[in-house]
Amino acid sequence: MGDTFIRHVALLGFEKRFVPSQHYVYMFLVKWQDLSEKVVYRRFTEIYEFHKLLKEMFPIEAGEINPESRIIPHLPAPRWFDGQRAAESRQGTLTEYCNALMGLPAKISRCPHLLDFFKVRPDDLKLPSDSQVKKPETYLMPKDGKSNAADITSPIILQTYRAIADHGKNSASEMAVATGDIVEVVEKSESGWWFCQMKAKRGWVPASFLEPLDSPDEAEDPEPNYAGEPYITIKAYTAVEEDEMSLSQGETIEVIHKLLDGWWVVRKEDVTGYFPSMYLQKSGQDPAQAQRQIKGRGAPPRRSTIRNAHSIHQRSRKRLSQDSYRRNSVRFLQQRRRLAQPGPQSAGSPRGENPQSQRAKPQPAVPPRPSADLILHRCSESTKRKLASAV
């Protein structure tokens, strides 16, 4: 069996999605060495992070030492985010970028970093659920490659947040903010890192450092799901706060509440606690990308650990305590166990029939037989004569 490589990458278009917030993803058709074709979906921020790491892996080919030696194509950084207009206008740039990638030497075009990025992920196969109020909108590339201005809608309004404390950059992809800074949120990642822009700056900021300008009681976080989703820990974590959970690498747990700050509520047997979502991954996924994110940024801090936090709201958003999570979780698990227990059924009873219907109906009580004297006293004269003649 030969080496795995990609023959061609074609941009099909982009999708406008609304969960967890409005954003855009690009659709790529990836043709592999065995002639199989797969469709994958990537955000532009993901593509740009891939591009930056590719340049770090090949500094000579990226022109870091000698600009004239550069062969890795250029990719503009995420600019002012103006909604669908920006998503549509980037298509030509991304098409040229992918074509240039495939034309690079094999040590780059077939490197594990590039192959892993274009591999199919579980999210690529996930269809929109029927519960979603707004389904994704698909915009395919025109066959002639030209844009149609009539298909471009007006820019979306980004959500505006305020920094509650100072945050310094710990990596090149982060953005520093000071208390009171107003930022616009472009992307809300499940890791708890949000991609923001402020004037001419842009980068990742921990969600725990941000608060909405309007009421803090607005329901942004989804509701708890006590049925739980199975995840595997890809990095060990030792609890620092009392409401957190310590887990080793490789443990299987259930996520019961996905909070936007990146600290999810997990369940191990009957115990619940907070755990960084960056250290979790669904079973069957390739941990390589998640490990790179951990190495690059790490888990975001929790709101409770931020010193000198200054909120403009008098009342902070109320969250469930771990005692409430545990009680609700135990109650749900007990109910699920009761429903899973099979009821008593007879051998000939139909499968799935209610066991209560199989029980014998109660019979009326039989009164005791009356005595002969009582019968003679209560019977009619005709009966008395018949009895007398029989004797």
Side-chain angles (χ1 to χ4, degrees):
M1 184 176 180
D3 295 335
T4 300
F5 64 91
I6 296 174
R7 293 179 179 270
H8 183 65
V9 176
L11 178 65
L12 300 179
F14 63 93
E15 273 191 359
K16 181 180 180 181
R17 297 183 177 180
F18 304 93
V19 178
S21 60
Q22 184 166 304
H23 63 281
Y24 297 85
V25 295
Y26 291 94
M27 302 179 294
F28 295 95
L29 180 65
V30 184
K31 188 171 185 178
W32 294 86
Q33 86 286 349
D34 59 357
L35 301 183
S36 63
E37 296 181 341
K38 307 293 182 182
V39 177
V40 299
Y41 301 82
R42 300 292 182 265
R43 298 190 184 194
F44 186 73
T45 50
E46 290 181 284
I47 302 170
Y48 188 69
E49 291 291 326
F50 155 80
H51 172 71
K52 289 175 60 178
L53 185 55
L54 187 69
K55 292 197 301 179
E56 294 177 5
M57 295 172 62
F58 301 97
I60 298 177
E61 291 79 1
E64 299 293 338
I65 300 175
N66 183 4
E68 296 181 356
S69 302
R70 176 162 187 162
I71 59 174
I72 293 180
H74 292 271
L75 184 67
R79 56 184 176 84
W80 288 99
F81 191 84
D82 54 356
Q84 188 168 329
R85 186 178 298 274
E88 196 273 345
S89 64
R90 290 194 189 107
Q91 292 183 111
T93 302
L94 288 175
T95 298
E96 295 176 359
Y97 180 78
C98 292
N99 291 336
L101 280 182
M102 295 298 99
L104 293 175
K107 69 174 184 178
I108 303 177
S109 62
R110 301 188 182 188
C111 70
H113 174 56
L114 189 146
L115 299 180
D116 290 341
F117 181 76
F118 285 107
K119 280 183 179 178
V120 176
R121 303 171 185 170
D123 289 342
D124 297 328
L125 306 175
K126 188 183 301 182
L127 298 176
S129 62
D130 295 334
S131 61
Q132 291 185 13
V133 178
K134 298 187 70 175
K135 296 292 191 297
E137 300 174 3
T138 303
Y139 300 86
L140 298 178
M141 281 273 290
K143 292 183 178 180
D144 57 2
K146 297 181 181 180
S147 305
N148 185 2
D151 295 334
I152 303 175
T153 62
S154 59
I156 64 171
I157 300 177
L158 298 179
Q159 291 180 293
T160 305
Y161 284 76
R162 174 187 176 274
I164 64 171
D166 297 343
H167 169 68
K169 291 179 60 174
N170 297 317
S171 67
S173 61
E174 296 181 33
M175 183 177 74
V177 293
T179 305
D181 282 347
I182 305 300
V183 302
E184 292 180 312
V185 177
V186 177
E187 177 184 337
K188 295 180 178 180
S189 172
E190 287 187 338
S191 65
W193 289 93
W194 291 1
F195 195 80
C196 305
Q197 63 183 21
M198 181 179 61
K199 297 181 180 178
K201 298 193 301 182
R202 64 190 68 84
W204 297 95
V205 178
S208 53
F209 278 77
L210 303 175
E211 67 176 359
L213 291 178
D214 50 5
S215 171
D217 294 328
E218 63 178 355
E220 289 188 327
D221 290 319
E223 293 296 323
N225 175 24
Y226 291 104
E229 293 184 49
Y231 276 77
I232 296 176
T233 58
I234 59 176
K235 184 177 180 179
Y237 175 77
T238 302
V240 177
E241 304 290 330
E242 292 183 356
D243 54 0
E244 297 175 357
M245 183 180 292
S246 298
L247 293 171
S248 303
Q249 182 176 349
E251 291 195 54
T252 301
I253 52 88
E254 291 179 308
V255 175
I256 61 175
H257 202 182
K258 294 182 176 180
L259 300 171
L260 291 178
D261 63 358
W263 286 83
W264 292 354
V265 182
V266 302
R267 177 174 63 206
K268 180 76 173 179
E269 297 177 349
D270 290 340
V271 181
T272 65
Y274 289 109
F275 195 83
S277 63
M278 288 192 72
Y279 299 167
L280 297 173
Q281 193 168 46
K282 286 189 175 181
S283 178
Q285 291 186 351
D286 184 9
Q289 183 183 9
Q291 294 288 358
R292 286 195 295 268
Q293 289 185 352
I294 294 172
K295 184 179 180 181
R297 286 193 296 270
R302 289 184 60 190
R303 175 70 64 90
S304 59
T305 64
I306 301 175
R307 297 181 179 180
N308 302 322
H310 299 283
S311 174
I312 60 176
H313 304 296
Q314 295 180 354
R315 295 182 298 106
S316 61
R317 184 180 302 168
K318 294 182 179 180
R319 282 189 170 178
L320 292 176
S321 65
Q322 285 302 322
D323 288 338
S324 299
Y325 280 119
R326 293 187 188 99
R327 286 196 301 268
N328 296 338
S329 179
V330 169
R331 189 180 301 116
F332 177 87
L333 292 176
Q334 290 175 346
Q335 182 180 5
R336 187 166 66 179
R337 291 177 188 132
R338 285 197 300 267
L339 294 176
Q341 292 177 354
Q345 295 183 0
S346 61
S349 62
R351 185 177 180 180
E353 191 173 345
N354 189 351
Q356 298 291 338
S357 63
Q358 298 300 318
R359 297 178 181 176
K361 295 183 178 180
Q363 299 296 328
V366 179
R369 181 178 179 82
S371 62
D373 294 337
L374 183 60
I375 293 175
L376 289 175
H377 177 71
R378 294 183 176 180
C379 66
S380 62
E381 293 298 327
S382 175
T383 303
K384 289 180 180 180
R385 287 195 294 272
K386 290 180 180 179
L387 290 174
S389 63
V391 174

